[in-house]
Amino acid sequence: MPLPRERIYTLDDIYNLPDGTRAELIDGQIYYIAPPNTAHQRISTFLHGTIFNYINSKGGRCEVFHAPFAVFLQEDDENNNTDYLEPDISVICDKSKINSKGCHGAPDWTIEIVSPSSRQMDYYKKLALYQGAGVREYWIIDPAREVIMVYDLANETPPIIYRFNDSVKVSIYEDFSIDFSQLKL
C-alpha cells in the first residue's frame, strides 16, 4: 500500500485562511504564527522606529516594514507556489520589488524576533531561506537569551553575536549602528 501523499499548500490556501489568522508558507507547508508577546512588540517598535528614523534622516531610498508584511520568496507564478513569509522587520531598497501585496523577492535586510514557538524556524529554516533567496543581512533577536545574531549574508562571514547592551553595526549601511542599551523592555 502506498504511503499517503503530504498535502502541498499554495498561496490560495494562505489567502483563504480566516481573517486574522497569521501564517507563513514554506516549501508548500503552512506554519501558523502565534500572537507576539509584549517584549516582542517593544523590540519590534524600537527597531522599526530606529531604522525608519535613520533612513528618513539620510533621505534614503530604502523602506522599512514591520509584520504583518508579506514577503514572497522564490515565486513560481505558474504553479502558484512560493514561500510566503512575514518577517518581523523587512528593509527593502529596490522599490520595484514592492507592490500592494508586499515584497516580491528578497528584502535587503530581515529581522526575526524569536518567540518560543518560532525558535527552530528562525534559527534554521528561515536562515537557509533568506540566504538562498539573496537577503543581504539577517538578524535573529532572541529576547529569552538577550542576544542578537547578525548574519552578513552578502559577505558570507560567520555570524556575530551581540548582547542587549551592545551597539550593533548594520552591515548594509556604512554609518548605522543600533544601540540596544536604549531598548526598554
Side-chain angles (χ1 to χ4, degrees):
M1 171 184 253
L3 292 173
R5 290 179 23 141
E6 185 176 291
R7 178 167 179 199
I8 302 298
Y9 294 92
T10 68
L11 279 177
D12 288 339
D13 296 304
I14 288 290
Y15 287 122
N16 287 323
L17 291 172
D19 285 347
T21 303
R22 288 194 51 217
E24 295 177 313
L25 179 66
I26 301 171
D27 296 329
Q29 296 304 301
I30 292 177
Y31 297 89
Y32 293 94
I33 301 171
N37 64 26
T38 303
H40 181 286
Q41 289 299 87
R42 285 182 177 140
I43 295 167
S44 179
T45 300
F46 169 76
L47 289 169
H48 185 270
T50 302
I51 296 165
F52 176 85
N53 288 338
Y54 170 81
I55 292 169
N56 195 43
S57 74
K58 299 291 184 176
R61 62 183 170 85
C62 303
E63 287 189 69
V64 60
F65 297 91
H66 56 81
F69 178 74
V71 171
F72 304 91
L73 295 178
Q74 301 162 350
E75 292 183 80
D76 176 2
D77 292 332
E78 184 176 307
N79 297 312
N80 198 21
N81 292 332
T82 189
D83 290 323
Y84 167 93
L85 300 165
E86 291 184 2
D88 290 308
I89 303 284
S90 300
V91 176
I92 300 130
C93 300
D94 180 353
K95 294 194 188 260
S96 72
K97 292 181 180 180
I98 302 169
N99 71 10
S100 63
K101 291 192 174 202
C103 176
H104 298 266
D108 293 271
W109 176 19
T110 58
I111 300 173
E112 296 287 359
I113 303 165
V114 175
S115 64
S117 64
S118 73
R119 183 170 302 284
Q120 294 288 335
M121 186 72 72
D122 294 337
Y123 275 98
Y124 301 106
K125 190 169 280 278
K126 287 186 180 180
L127 171 60
L129 280 171
Y130 292 144
Q131 189 169 26
V135 170
R136 294 168 48 204
E137 184 165 358
Y138 176 45
W139 289 16
I140 300 171
I141 300 177
D142 194 329
R145 295 179 178 154
E146 294 191 356
V147 297
I148 303 106
M149 305 258 321
V150 174
Y151 292 87
D152 181 353
L153 300 175
N155 293 307
E156 299 180 355
T157 58
I160 300 173
I161 301 171
Y162 296 92
R163 305 290 304 171
F164 272 27
N165 57 351
D166 292 331
S167 184
V168 180
K169 171 77 176 84
V170 178
S171 298
I172 67 167
Y173 294 107
E174 289 191 19
D175 63 344
F176 184 31
S177 294
I178 297 178
D179 183 359
F180 274 81
S181 70
Q182 300 299 308
L183 173 63
K184 305 295 183 227
L185 291 178

